[in-house]
Amino acid sequence: MAAARHSTLDFMLGATADCNAVLKALQPVFQEQGMTETVHNWEDHGYLATYIKKNGSFANLRIHPHGLVLVDLQSYNDHTKGREETDQLLNKVEERMKELFHGNLKRIKRLPAILRGGVIDRYWPTADGRLVEYDIDEVVYDEDSPFQNIKILHSKQFGNILILSGDVNLAESDLAYTRAIMGSGKEDYTGKEVLILGGGDGGILYEIVKLKPKMVTMVLIEDCIPVLKRYAKEGRMFDYVINDLTAVPISTSPEEDSTWEFLRLILDLSMKVLKQDGKYFTQGNCINLTDALTLYEEQLSRLYCPVEFSKEIVCVPSYMELWVFYTIWKKQTEV
Amino acid sequence: MAAARHSTLDFMLGATADCNAVLKALQPVFQEQGMTETVHNWEDHGYLATYIKKNGSFANLRIHPHGLVLVDLQSYNDHTKGREETDQLLNKVEERMKELFHGNLKRIKRLPAILRGGVIDRYWPTADGRLVEYDIDEVVYDEDSPFQNIKILHSKQFGNILILSGDVNLAESDLAYTRAIMGSGKEDYTGKEVLILGGGDGGILYEIVKLKPKMVTMVLIEDCIPVLKRYAKEGRMFDYVINDLTAVPISTSPEEDSTWEFLRLILDLSMKVLKQDGKYFTQGNCINLTDALTLYEEQLSRLYCPVEFSKEIVCVPSYMELWVFYTIWKKQTEV
């Protein structure tokens, strides 16, 4: 299936625009390509010219009177020739604009073209909602489970990336994540009892067994709530609890209604199975979602037992944003 | 100056599209917003419907017969109400499409809106040409020097970012860069003679003086070629040469015509001032530009003296792509 290639070229002028002069200067560039024109004139909001080509591609020229000229071009992405034609057209528009304004343009911005409707989807926004394009070159796996959509996409630089319901979870490049959620190399796991909640990519288990723990228990494909409740009832205790569950719970029902209550339930149960001098590690959120981080920290003050925490900011390569990791421990009572 | 906000919403259908049915289903959504319609029918390439609103915003509905429906919406970004209206319109389009296809859509993709012509430019493509949006919230500095455009933009997570002629050079978050170009903590700088070429952000100098070198010489604002020539002539030798010049030379003239010849000249001169057991550190390129990396490595085999090299792949937070760093040393002759 042919994808569409969306190219943009923007001009910020130094002053207000003579909309008609800009239109007249650029019209021939499009018409030379055999494109037919339709012009809408808002009077007080400038012009929109639409140029249509026989091969199914089209362009928009939007001229804002306050001095902004935006060009959009949508064409098929199925042959190199089409891409060259697009580039040539945008080059000509840029030349003409430079001539018209004698090079006196405040900004000329041409973004990398956006591929729309391609078999490979390269756009996976960050947790803080920014647009980022990945160097995806292969869809390794793409299926809906009863719980979520599971994608494994291959990135040239990051290796395979696990994407759960559109959320970038982890890539092969991301040892920094695994290191951070294990305490950044500052812990001695020798002979210790470790509980991993989630950890489905296997990275934590792989790294931790190298460190000679006594036993690692991984609650991977089950609902961890009843398991934690059973451990708590049995009095089974751990030196380390590593919460590597999905950032957004698959479901909070039937236990709790809100995500925050649910997260607090897991925290409370985890504290119940954590030894008095044990440590609880978890990933928090991207550094820019300060409200979510604050809300999480508020939950920590509402657990059944008093806890203290520290946080670390880590660069996880495939995330393209800095990430906050938490270490939580039971507050030691004065002797 | 009001920036434009460009929103997109794409649908990949499971099969070919009945273009007319899609158009008829979506028309009312736009018309309810008081938008006037112009339709172009390519027959063999589907439809383009353009919807124009009195307030200067407009939408494109492009229906490709092979099963791709693309919606674009451009509006002013000057008030929250406008953003809400855009979101509501796109929500309605999405609802209507789900109704029409009974939820049987292969992919629905809504990218974060692109801000075009804003005072703050948030889009700084990677070295390998991918579109990435930064969390820029302030223009700290923006001036043209006789050599290049110099921008310092503030990122919420990366701190101040130095951008030279559109190329992201370094941010306050990027100690990983400085560490890597100093040999990743594996070198003993105590009592050593160090030459820094470039290094204008001061990071290398700041870190290296902590390590008690004998002397650090920084060739920062001069053309480094005559300086290196003079040192070579005087027989001045260094234990470490750290090349932290801009990735793309400001000018290769009058010395050499091509960038590669120029880079080789710097390498040759650096080797002349490097002690027999000294080390030369430099950044290479992003990991995806394999051709450029290969060309660079070819230059290394063409120096006046035989050299060996190793490389390391480093995640520099603000780059949003993995970066290759080189260590180069003179081949030791067998005794």
Side-chain angles (χ1 to χ4, degrees), chain A residues 162-183:
Chain A
L162 176 66
I163 298 176
L164 297 177
S165 299
D167 185 36
V168 171
N169 266 243
L170 206 72
E172 289 182 281
S173 58
D174 298 345
L175 184 59
Y177 178 99
T178 304
R179 271 183 54 82
I181 206 165
M182 283 171 59

Side-chain angles (χ1 to χ4, degrees), chain A residues 1-2 10 42 53 56 60 62 66 72 74 107 109 116 118 121 123 130-131 133 135 157 288 322, chain B residues 1-2 10 42 53 56 60 66 72 74 107 109 116 118 121 123 130-131 133 135 157 288 322:
Chain A
M1 188 192 283
D10 300 344
W42 273 275
K53 206 168 171 172
N60 279 146
R62 177 74 177 91
H66 65 266
D72 287 80
Q74 268 184 38
R107 186 195 298 160
K109 189 82 182 186
R116 298 170 67 175
D121 184 356
Y123 307 92
R130 285 175 295 111
L131 175 59
E133 177 184 356
D135 54 350
Q157 65 189 307
N288 276 345
L322 298 177
Chain B
M1 187 191 283
D10 301 343
W42 273 276
K53 206 168 172 173
N60 280 148
H66 65 266
D72 287 79
Q74 267 183 40
R107 187 195 298 159
K109 189 82 183 185
R116 298 169 66 175
D121 184 356
Y123 307 92
R130 285 175 297 111
L131 176 59
E133 177 184 355
D135 55 349
Q157 65 189 305
N288 276 345
L322 298 177

Side-chain angles (χ1 to χ4, degrees), chain B residues 18-38:
Chain B
D18 176 345
C19 295
N20 195 47
V22 173
L23 182 66
K24 287 281 168 290
L26 296 181
Q27 267 173 338
V29 180
F30 295 99
Q31 284 164 346
E32 279 161 19
Q33 302 287 318
M35 296 176 111
T36 58
E37 183 190 66
T38 314

Side-chain angles (χ1 to χ4, degrees), chain B residues 93-193:
Chain B
V93 169
E94 190 171 326
E95 270 170 44
R96 201 63 58 96
M97 284 293 282
K98 282 178 178 165
E99 280 164 24
L100 186 64
F101 293 95
H102 308 288
N104 184 23
L105 294 160
K106 224 159 110 184
R107 187 195 298 159
I108 302 174
K109 189 82 183 185
R110 199 187 298 199
L111 296 180
I114 300 177
L115 209 63
R116 298 169 66 175
V119 174
I120 294 174
D121 184 356
R122 295 164 63 94
Y123 307 92
W124 300 100
T126 57
D128 70 345
R130 285 175 297 111
L131 176 59
V132 289
E133 177 184 355
Y134 283 81
D135 55 349
I136 306 294
D137 57 7
E138 194 193 340
V139 179
V140 179
Y141 186 85
D142 187 358
E143 295 290 341
D144 289 316
S145 83
F147 309 110
Q148 59 206 158
N149 174 268
I150 302 168
K151 280 188 181 64
I152 299 175
L153 304 183
H154 184 265
S155 148
K156 270 188 263 184
Q157 65 189 305
F158 301 130
N160 287 329
I161 308 181
L162 175 66
I163 297 175
L164 298 178
S165 298
D167 185 37
V168 171
N169 265 244
L170 206 71
E172 289 182 281
S173 58
D174 298 346
L175 185 59
Y177 177 100
T178 303
R179 270 183 55 82
I181 207 165
M182 283 171 58
S184 297
K186 286 175 283 188
E187 302 302 321
D188 180 8
Y189 282 95
T190 320
K192 299 290 168 64
E193 293 271 1

